[in-house]
Amino acid sequence: MSPDKKRLRVGVLFGGRSGEHEVSLASAASVIRGLDPDKYETVPIGITKEGHWLIGSSAQKLLPEVLRTGQRVTMSADPTDAALVRLDGSGGGQRIDVVFPVMHGTFGEDGTIQGLLDLAGLPFVGAGVLGSAIAMDKDIAKKLLRAAKIPVVPWIAIHRDEWERNEFATVHQIEKEFPYPLFVKPATLGSSVGMTKVHSRQELAPALNLAAEFAMKIMVERAVTAREIEVSVLGNHDLQASIPGEIVPHREFYDYAAKYLEQGTQLLIPANLRPAQVKKFQHLAMQAFRALELNGMARVDFFLEKPSGKIYLNELNTIPGFTSISMYPKLWEASGIPFPQLIDKLIELAIEQHAEKARTKYAIELPSGASGALDM
Ligand SMILES: Nc1ncnc2c1ncn2[C@@H]1O[C@H](COP(=O)(O)OP(=O)(O)O)[C@@H](O)[C@H]1O
Ligand SMILES: [Mg+2]
């Protein structure tokens, strides 16, 4: 057998139509560097901001170049193909064994790509359709966390049309519920896009309008004064939780500028916590992972309220940042799993989950002639 037949062909999906397109490029470049070339043949699969799919050669390490000069392909939804099909009319394809989606946010982390990969019959890294969609919707996620008795910051969710049709009543409802300051954010976005810390009534309507530009549902939350603690979780059935880390933003909160534009935010690994607190965070992180029906990986973000010491779960990210300075891989490194081993493990988990799905029957076997009553 040639070495290439033995190597697993890993499609690394990056870019995409979300606001986190650029972040995805940085994360994907780092995942590609972590794929051991003795074990894997990498197929970089870029999705442009318009939604075109392009593939590069496995030697192509410059991802913006793949987006400019790669070959146009489409993902076949036919599971007997298990492949990307060239759009140049040649009928050619590229077989893929497993997909690593490294796209954050809308159309990447929200279950849509995962649905396509399920149709295509391909194993993929990370949460499935259901878990991805749940984790992407902060309102639904919090409802499930609350049902699992995991503490979350009090919130209300307001549909955009409700706000637009009745501004006065909405403001009244919010003010009845929470004192200022409060947070207003789109329910289904990441990277702090469309989010405002609202200090007074004057700021409320503009904040709701801004959030409404980015999602159909708006979250309004009490603002907590808190340390921000993050835990990485890995696994399908048997979960592992990393040591917790801490984010110390240099701005009023961990907004888009603090995340990507400015330096100054500190990552503390490990977070300075008492052993009992570490245990508590790890336990809650794994419980939350199960409550949201996740698979493979997630970064679980918490608030540790000052000075009460109360813990709240803020959110779970099913495709966390994967750049060389990102919290998810760094926490694993500090917990004894170096980056290339982490990537191996995630691919193993993807294949395990795929095998688990394949055990499920989708129909009962009808005895011959039994379909006679169906009008086909
Ligand atoms: N209720 C809140 N109280 C205090 N800070 C908050 C609250 N909600 C969000 N933040 C701040 O905003 C940041 C981003 O909010 P988050 O809900 O995690 O959205 P995203 O999905 O965009 O990361 C948090 O890391 C935190 O700094
Ligand atoms: Mg966050």
Side-chain angles (χ1 to χ4, degrees):
M1 221 197 290
S2 78
D4 263 22
K5 290 245 170 67
K6 270 189 283 173
R7 290 195 305 172
L8 211 56
R9 203 176 272 173
V10 182
V12 176
L13 259 175
F14 65 92
R17 289 158 64 193
S18 94
E20 290 164 287
H21 179 99
E22 282 77 15
V23 188
S24 160
L25 263 64
S27 287
S30 141
V31 167
I32 289 172
R33 278 195 299 273
L35 283 162
D36 179 351
D38 288 336
K39 295 187 208 158
Y40 310 107
E41 183 188 345
T42 306
V43 181
I45 311 168
I47 302 182
T48 65
K49 286 182 178 170
E50 295 75 36
H52 300 312
W53 289 48
L54 300 139
I55 51 170
S57 71
S58 68
Q60 215 159 12
K61 299 281 184 262
L62 288 174
L63 300 185
E65 201 178 291
V66 174
L67 290 171
R68 276 197 308 272
T69 63
Q71 288 196 333
R72 283 282 298 276
V73 292
T74 185
M75 171 67 75
S76 171
D78 180 341
T80 60
D81 288 342
L84 294 157
V85 179
R86 293 214 170 85
L87 289 178
D88 58 7
S90 66
Q94 171 84 277
R95 180 183 56 83
I96 301 285
D97 295 319
V98 55
V99 175
F100 197 139
V102 197
M103 299 195 300
H104 313 297
T106 321
F107 304 128
E109 198 174 350
D110 61 358
T112 51
I113 277 287
Q114 289 74 13
L116 179 59
L117 296 171
D118 268 346
L119 284 175
L122 287 171
F124 57 89
V125 170
V129 171
L130 180 64
S132 302
I134 292 171
M136 198 67 207
D137 186 315
K138 291 182 161 90
D139 175 44
I140 302 293
K142 287 221 226 197
K143 282 180 177 154
L144 288 175
L145 293 170
R146 189 173 58 188
K149 306 212 162 25
I150 296 165
V152 291
V153 176
W155 86 102
I156 51 174
I158 296 161
H159 282 272
R160 172 164 74 191
D161 70 301
E162 199 181 320
W163 155 243
E164 283 165 355
R165 271 191 306 203
N166 209 336
E167 297 198 358
F168 183 79
T170 306
V171 167
H172 182 72
Q173 184 199 356
I174 292 170
E175 289 189 337
K176 211 173 70 189
E177 204 80 30
F178 305 113
Y180 294 102
L182 46 84
F183 270 86
V184 173
K185 46 181 130 167
T188 50
L189 223 70
S191 286
S192 308
V193 171
M195 180 177 303
T196 313
K197 183 170 181 180
V198 175
H199 305 83
S200 66
R201 179 181 292 181
Q202 258 169 309
E203 293 171 11
L204 184 57
L208 290 162
N209 284 329
L210 178 70
E213 285 180 36
F214 293 99
M216 288 190 280
K217 201 161 51 172
I218 308 165
M219 299 287 284
V220 181
E221 286 181 10
R222 178 166 80 75
V224 292
T225 308
R227 290 168 64 190
E228 300 197 45
I229 306 293
E230 304 189 343
V231 175
S232 297
V233 176
L234 181 64
N236 288 333
H237 301 296
D238 304 316
L239 302 181
Q240 279 175 279
S242 73
I243 56 165
E246 179 166 359
I247 299 273
V248 188
H250 67 298
R251 295 170 61 89
E252 191 182 10
F253 68 96
Y254 199 28
D255 62 6
Y256 189 87
K259 283 179 180 172
Y260 307 118
L261 306 179
E262 297 173 4
Q263 290 175 347
T265 292
Q266 289 181 66
L267 265 60
L268 306 180
I269 300 174
N272 183 13
L273 297 166
R274 292 192 304 277
Q277 287 176 308
V278 169
K279 274 217 167 113
K280 177 102 194 169
F281 279 115
Q282 289 173 328
H283 176 71
L284 285 172
M286 291 188 286
Q287 262 192 314
F289 191 95
R290 289 203 181 88
L292 268 50
E293 310 240 3
L294 303 185
N295 284 106
M297 62 177 170
R299 197 191 70 228
V300 188
D301 299 351
F302 295 92
F303 293 128
L304 175 58
E305 194 172 39
K306 297 187 265 196
S308 71
K310 262 192 89 160
I311 295 174
Y312 297 98
L313 200 149
N314 176 32
E315 61 159 349
L316 290 96
N317 296 282
T318 53
I319 306 189
F322 256 95
T323 69
S324 51
I325 54 157
S326 292
M327 201 54 137
Y328 186 82
K330 284 222 142 208
L331 288 177
W332 281 124
E333 233 168 68
S335 306
I337 306 182
F339 197 80
Q341 229 168 291
L342 174 63
I343 303 286
D344 284 350
K345 182 76 190 157
L346 287 167
I347 289 173
E348 244 171 66
L349 289 167
I351 291 165
E352 177 188 290
Q353 182 60 16
H354 188 69
E356 175 75 35
K357 276 185 211 164
R359 281 182 47 206
T360 311
K361 286 186 188 170
Y362 299 113
I364 51 165
E365 275 166 37
L366 295 174
S368 62
S371 63
L374 299 177
D375 188 14
M376 287 191 283

